[in-house]
Amino acid sequence: MSNQLLKGKKGIIFGALNDQSIAWKVAERAHEEGAEFVLTNAPIAMRMGEINGLAEKTGSQIIPADATNTEDLENLVTQSMEILGGKIDFVLHSIGMSPNVRKGKHYTENNYQYYQQTMDVSAMSLHKTLATLYKHDAMNEWGSVVALTYIAAQRIFPDYNDMADAKSLLESIARSFGYHYGIAKKVRVNTISQSPTVTTAGQGIKGFNEFINFSEQMSPLGNAPAIACADYCVSMFSDLTRYVTMQNLFHDGGFSNTGVTQQVIERFGNI
Ligand SMILES: NC(=O)c1ccc[n+]([C@@H]2O[C@H](COP(=O)([O-])OP(=O)(O)OC[C@H]3O[C@@H](n4cnc5c(N)ncnc54)[C@H](O)[C@@H]3O)[C@@H](O)[C@H]2O)c1
């Protein structure tokens, strides 16, 4: 379904690793809606090569950038404006990685070097991206930056580990930068808090399968799939949401406002 909601808009999409990635679906939907964009990911992720297929399909160029490296980001922003022939209208930050999660460290025994990496990759990279866009005056007025987050920023989900702390910081950066960017250039910055979704990053979390089932039963509408998240991102990049900024927007089938469901209660009947 295409309504050409993003016709004439130019963007940068971070984080499409494979066809399960939320960013992948956003790229496909943004293309359908008439946007032009540059795809980017960490140089190491490029080696898998899958992103080339997406670039071909969406007529996009790829610029590798480690989102923790400000030189890479400078290059990405200046080159994107050259390729797209003007300023940027939308940016998707769809990046997350925790070495503590990957190496199975318990939260109470986290390695602090890893912890810093988690913060740098999963949260500070948003600040660095926004600061680079700001410095180069690279965004058009009413432009929209969206970063993906998870409800572990507000509530405890034990196996989410230091990613929970990173998501809290990410959401705070969206609010703080959203204030400054809004006043200076009328640029919007929001986070979308997505349901658990089967992707490479998602599956790295211990007990993910059990958790996704629990979440499904705790959400009146069920877990929101990646493609629906892509639709929401498209609407946030469009002109239909111009006055939405500095928000953390739950896209979770109602999970965040549900205390318990009848389905879950019934499971505890015989204990
Ligand atoms: N999958 C879920 O359950 C879920 C739920 C809520 C939010 N999210 C968030 O959605 C976003 C996308 O994750 P996904 O689930 O699509 O998984 P994914 O593994 O497909 O995407 C994560 C991406 O981060 C990229 N990345 C890692 N380090 C990087 C770096 N230094 N520089 C640039 N890119 C880097 C990876 O290459 C990958 O493309 C993440 O922020 C994640 O936390 C995911």
Side-chain angles (χ1 to χ4, degrees):
M1 180 191 59
S2 170
N3 296 302
Q4 295 297 296
L5 279 176
L6 302 183
K7 194 168 165 46
K9 297 212 182 283
K10 305 169 198 302
I12 301 177
I13 297 182
F14 287 79
L17 181 66
N18 53 39
D19 63 5
Q20 288 190 313
S21 300
I22 298 168
W24 189 286
K25 315 265 191 238
V26 175
E28 288 180 332
R29 285 292 292 117
H31 176 62
E32 277 172 20
E33 293 295 336
E36 279 178 88
F37 47 83
V38 161
L39 294 168
T40 182
N41 209 325
I44 194 162
M46 299 287 166
R47 284 194 218 143
M48 319 227 180
E50 293 188 48
I51 197 172
N52 295 322
L54 180 65
E56 216 170 291
K57 188 176 172 189
T58 58
S60 312
Q61 293 201 38
I62 305 169
I63 304 176
D66 174 349
T68 66
N69 181 315
T70 47
E71 270 174 39
D72 282 11
L73 290 172
E74 297 258 341
N75 178 55
L76 170 68
V77 167
T78 50
Q79 271 206 47
S80 296
M81 284 198 286
E82 267 179 48
I83 291 170
L84 299 169
K87 291 193 191 185
I88 309 297
D89 300 292
F90 67 90
V91 175
L92 177 73
H93 177 287
S94 185
I95 300 172
M97 198 278 297
S98 158
N100 279 312
V101 168
R102 281 199 179 174
K103 307 220 181 219
K105 294 269 177 198
H106 193 266
Y107 186 74
T108 56
E109 293 169 359
N110 272 348
N111 172 305
Y112 292 112
Q113 217 178 325
Y114 295 165
Y115 205 131
Q116 276 176 346
Q117 275 177 271
T118 305
M119 291 296 154
D120 201 11
V121 173
S122 311
M124 258 190 289
S125 60
L126 176 63
H127 194 287
K128 289 177 182 177
T129 301
L130 286 163
T132 309
L133 293 162
Y134 192 88
K135 179 175 150 193
H136 288 275
D137 193 14
M139 295 287 294
N140 277 320
E141 278 196 0
W142 305 106
S144 171
V145 178
V146 167
L148 294 177
T149 187
Y150 184 55
I151 194 175
Q154 287 82 31
R155 298 196 195 166
I156 183 70
F157 294 87
D159 292 325
Y160 208 66
N161 207 323
D162 57 349
M163 277 300 289
D165 305 334
K167 291 303 192 192
S168 299
L169 178 57
L170 181 85
E171 292 174 16
S172 179
I173 290 169
R175 269 191 305 276
S176 302
F177 226 115
Y179 169 80
H180 293 290
Y181 226 156
I183 286 188
K185 300 280 172 189
K186 291 193 163 48
V187 169
R188 314 184 274 130
V189 188
N190 294 285
T191 49
I192 292 181
S193 188
Q194 163 67 4
S195 290
T197 313
V198 180
T199 63
T200 306
Q203 282 160 321
I205 307 288
K206 207 169 106 203
F208 187 74
N209 289 338
E210 292 84 340
F211 181 64
I212 210 165
N213 295 338
F214 168 74
S215 173
E216 173 79 18
Q217 294 200 1
M218 282 288 287
S219 309
L221 300 180
N223 287 329
I227 189 67
C229 186
D231 285 340
Y232 197 21
C233 290
V234 164
S235 76
M236 288 305 298
F237 296 151
S238 81
D239 291 331
L240 299 178
T241 52
R242 277 191 161 194
Y243 283 86
V244 183
T245 193
M246 300 161 65
Q247 302 298 315
N248 180 43
L249 305 162
F250 286 102
H251 184 258
D252 64 356
F255 179 89
S256 48
N257 269 347
T258 303
V260 75
T261 58
Q262 195 59 33
Q263 238 182 331
V264 169
I265 283 190
E266 280 162 14
R267 296 179 76 105
F268 290 88
N270 299 323
I271 289 177

